């Protein structure tokens, strides 16, 4: 059963334009996320590289200065080379391992290596110019030595004011690059996670926007449909009023024949076209006659079922509106036949209108009373909405079923309303 209060808006599918805009917005948001994450990652990578290099510089400088200040180093560099190497090489090895540097080279005042990670290089002159350091200046930077390019710190070893040797501590550039690669590898999961989260959030926001835009477009389409229906109704009302004025004028001039001929030119009228036995209300009979005339014009018929009973003055304008719209709807859907059962007493009105048309698909039954829902054009779908409103206003009900002839069957049960001007 479809009660009059069940109103469902027509479903409106989002058009290609809406889907295109949604995809465009999503792509733009993802691009913004990628751009922001990319810029942030580039800055983070640059900062990380600088931090690794600065921390390495601080480390090699601290280690070299600490060694240069040791009495063991200051005394050792002034001894013969072999004795100095035997004394200082173990110290250099321990310091290199504990501080994480690649080499510790200690020289005497002539620039001869006392310690070196490669034994063959001990006792030989250093491969880079030591003159500035031996002159008392410290050096921090990248040079290429026997082990390759290294970030190193060189400081003088002093005995009082005299420079008696040098200490050089370095880390290979390849090791710095490896540390940087490890740092970047640790950063990558966060970068990928940020991109994924950003895109997911963008997709969620786009979905919210899409639903909002879709609702607005549906409302716009519904409003446009209502405006078209309203415009069509205004045109029909204007035309109807004009024809009523013409009919009133002809009746006022006491010319009923001309009035009937005028009406006959507007709609096909067949006197007593419907065998409306038991229906004693002239207005109801007129509606049934008009429906029968329309069907007869295309070879069909309207059958008033046995058991119909309506006395004059028992139905009102709302009942006539319901009867008219259901009959017209059935006549338009019917192949050749419409069946009507109309019973009205002092309390209730019972109406059944069926046809032999294709019927209503089960998935469309719930929407047939929605305004604008019709298989016969954009400006149709008004009559059943009016029926729903009229029945609902009276607390009645409507059922949609299958007629004996195979088409749709509409059944209305509603309380009687006093017909305007029909009761004293």
């Amino acid at each position: 059963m479809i009660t009059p209060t069940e109103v469902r808006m027509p479903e409106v599918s989002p058009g290609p334009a809406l889907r295109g805009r949604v995809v465009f917005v999503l792509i733009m948001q993802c691009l913004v996320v990628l751009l922001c994450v990319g810029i942030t990652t580039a800055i983070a990578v640059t900062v990380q590289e600088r931090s690794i290099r600065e921390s390495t510089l601080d480390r090699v400088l601290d280690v070299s200065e600490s060694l240069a200040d040791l009495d063991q180093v200051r005394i050792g560099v002034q001894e013969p080379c072999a004795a100095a190497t035997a004394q200082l090489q173990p110290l250099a090895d321990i310091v290199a391992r504990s501080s994480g540097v690649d080499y510790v080279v200690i020289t005497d005042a002539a620039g001869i290596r006392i310690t070196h990670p490669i034994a063959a290089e001990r006792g030989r002159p250093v491969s880079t110019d030591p003159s500035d350091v031996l002159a008392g200046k410290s050096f921090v930077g990248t040079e290429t030595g026997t082990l390759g390019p290294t970030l190193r710190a060189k400081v003088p070893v002093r005995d009082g004011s005299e420079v008696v040797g040098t200490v050089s501590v370095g880390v290979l550039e390849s090791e710095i690059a490896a540390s940087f690669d490890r740092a970047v590898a640790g950063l990558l999961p966060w970068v990928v996670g940020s991109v994924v989260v950003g895109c997911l959030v963008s997709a969620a926001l786009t979905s919210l926007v899409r639903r909002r835009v879709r609702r607005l477009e549906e409302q716009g389409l519904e409003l446009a449909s209502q405006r078209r229906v309203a415009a069509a109704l205004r045109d029909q009302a204007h035309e109807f009023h004009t024809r009523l004025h013409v009919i009133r004028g002809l009746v006022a001039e006491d010319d009923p024949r001309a009035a009937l001929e005028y009406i006959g030119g507007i709609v096909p009228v067949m006197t007593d076209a419907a065998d409306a036995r038991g229906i004693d209300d002239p207005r109801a009979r007129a509606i049934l006659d008009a429906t029968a005339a329309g069907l007869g014009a295309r070879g069909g018929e309207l059958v008033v079922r046995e058991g119909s009973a309506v006395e004059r003055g028992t139905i009102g304008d709302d009942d006539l509106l319901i009867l008219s719209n259901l009959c017209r709807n059935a006549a338009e859907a019917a192949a050749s036949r419409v069946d009507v059962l109309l019973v009205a007493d002092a309390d209730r009105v019972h109406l059944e209108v069926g046809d032999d048309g294709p019927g209503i698909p089960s998935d469309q039954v719930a929407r047939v009373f929605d305004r604008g829902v019709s298989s016969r054009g954009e400006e149709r779908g008004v009559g059943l909405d009016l029926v729903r409103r009229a029945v609902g206003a009276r607390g009645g009900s409507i059922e949609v079923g299958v007629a004996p002839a195979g088409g749709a069957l509409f059944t209305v049960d509603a309380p009687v309303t006093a017909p305007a001007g029909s009761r004293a």
Side-chain angles (χ1 to χ4, degrees):
M1 177 182 293
I2 305 299
T3 60
T5 56
E6 293 177 345
V7 182
R8 300 186 184 180
M9 298 299 293
E11 296 181 0
V12 181
S13 299
L18 174 60
R19 288 193 293 269
R21 289 196 297 271
V22 170
V23 172
F24 176 76
V25 170
L26 178 58
I27 291 174
M28 291 302 297
Q29 288 180 333
C30 290
L31 288 177
V32 170
V33 170
L34 289 173
L35 179 62
C36 292
V37 173
I39 293 174
T40 303
T41 302
I43 294 174
V45 168
T46 302
V47 171
Q48 186 71 20
E49 182 182 18
R50 184 180 303 169
S51 175
I52 292 174
R53 187 165 290 275
E54 288 178 353
S55 65
T56 303
L57 282 173
D58 292 340
R59 178 153 47 96
V60 295
L61 184 60
D62 289 344
V63 172
S64 60
E65 289 177 344
S66 298
L67 282 173
D69 289 339
L70 291 176
D71 291 338
Q72 181 181 354
V73 174
R74 184 173 59 253
I75 295 171
V77 297
Q78 299 181 59
E79 294 183 359
C81 186
T85 298
Q87 181 181 356
L88 297 180
Q89 185 62 50
L91 174 63
D93 293 338
I94 292 174
V95 170
R97 285 195 300 270
S98 61
S99 61
V101 298
D102 289 312
Y103 73 84
V104 173
V105 173
I106 302 174
T107 73
D108 59 15
I112 303 301
R113 299 188 187 101
I114 296 173
T115 66
H116 195 281
I118 301 175
E121 298 294 334
R122 300 166 193 162
R124 300 178 61 182
V126 293
S127 58
T128 57
D129 184 9
S131 58
D132 288 341
V133 182
L134 291 173
K137 298 179 181 179
S138 297
F139 170 82
V140 177
T142 299
E143 288 183 335
T144 301
T146 55
L147 299 178
T150 58
L151 181 63
R152 61 185 66 183
K154 299 178 183 179
V155 297
V157 179
R158 301 177 185 271
D159 187 2
S161 60
E162 180 183 1
V163 175
V164 294
T166 67
V167 175
S168 176
V169 177
V171 175
L172 291 170
E173 287 287 349
S174 59
E175 287 297 326
I176 297 176
S179 298
F180 173 71
D181 291 342
R182 287 191 295 271
V184 170
L187 186 63
L188 282 178
W190 295 97
V191 173
V192 174
S194 299
V195 171
V196 172
V197 171
C199 289
L200 290 176
V201 172
S202 297
L205 292 176
T206 301
S207 179
L208 292 176
V209 172
R210 175 179 178 272
R211 286 197 292 269
R212 177 60 178 167
V213 171
R214 180 177 179 179
R215 284 197 297 270
L216 292 176
E217 289 201 348
E218 288 176 350
Q219 293 171 2
L221 291 173
E222 176 64 16
L223 180 60
S225 176
Q226 292 178 355
R227 286 175 176 172
R228 289 193 298 270
V229 171
L233 290 175
R234 282 195 301 270
D235 293 342
Q236 293 176 3
H238 178 74
E239 182 180 358
F240 179 71
H241 289 161
T242 301
R243 291 174 175 174
L244 281 180
H245 282 297
V246 173
I247 295 171
R248 183 182 183 280
L250 293 173
V251 173
E253 293 294 330
D254 196 20
D255 193 354
R257 181 179 298 276
L260 291 174
E261 289 177 354
Y262 179 75
I263 295 172
I266 298 173
V267 294
V269 176
M270 298 174 61
T271 304
D272 295 330
D275 184 7
R277 290 168 295 180
I279 298 178
D280 195 30
D281 189 286
R283 298 169 300 167
R285 291 182 65 89
I287 292 172
L288 295 173
D289 284 342
T291 304
L295 285 167
R298 54 189 178 93
E301 63 175 338
L302 181 139
V303 177
V304 178
R305 288 166 51 192
E306 186 176 353
S308 296
V310 178
E311 294 184 3
R312 184 187 298 265
T314 58
I315 58 176
D317 292 340
D318 285 347
D319 301 310
L320 296 174
L321 180 145
I322 294 168
L323 175 64
S324 175
N325 281 285
L326 288 181
C327 284
R328 182 171 60 250
N329 185 75
E332 291 177 346
S336 61
R337 175 172 174 152
V338 172
D339 294 295
V340 176
L341 173 66
L342 178 58
V343 180
D345 55 27
D347 297 320
R348 300 190 68 80
V349 174
H350 177 80
L351 172 63
E352 296 181 14
V353 179
D355 60 71
D356 61 348
I360 301 173
S362 58
D363 60 343
Q364 296 295 316
V365 169
R367 299 182 58 235
V368 294
F369 294 103
D370 290 342
R371 178 175 290 271
V373 176
S374 174
S375 61
R376 296 183 291 276
E378 293 184 354
E379 297 183 358
R380 307 299 298 273
V382 178
L384 291 180
D385 177 62
L386 294 176
V387 170
R388 174 187 61 80
R389 293 174 183 271
V391 175
R394 295 163 57 183
S397 64
I398 309 174
E399 292 183 2
V400 181
V402 180
L409 174 65
F410 290 84
T411 303
V412 175
D413 279 294
V416 167
T417 59
S422 64
R423 292 184 182 180

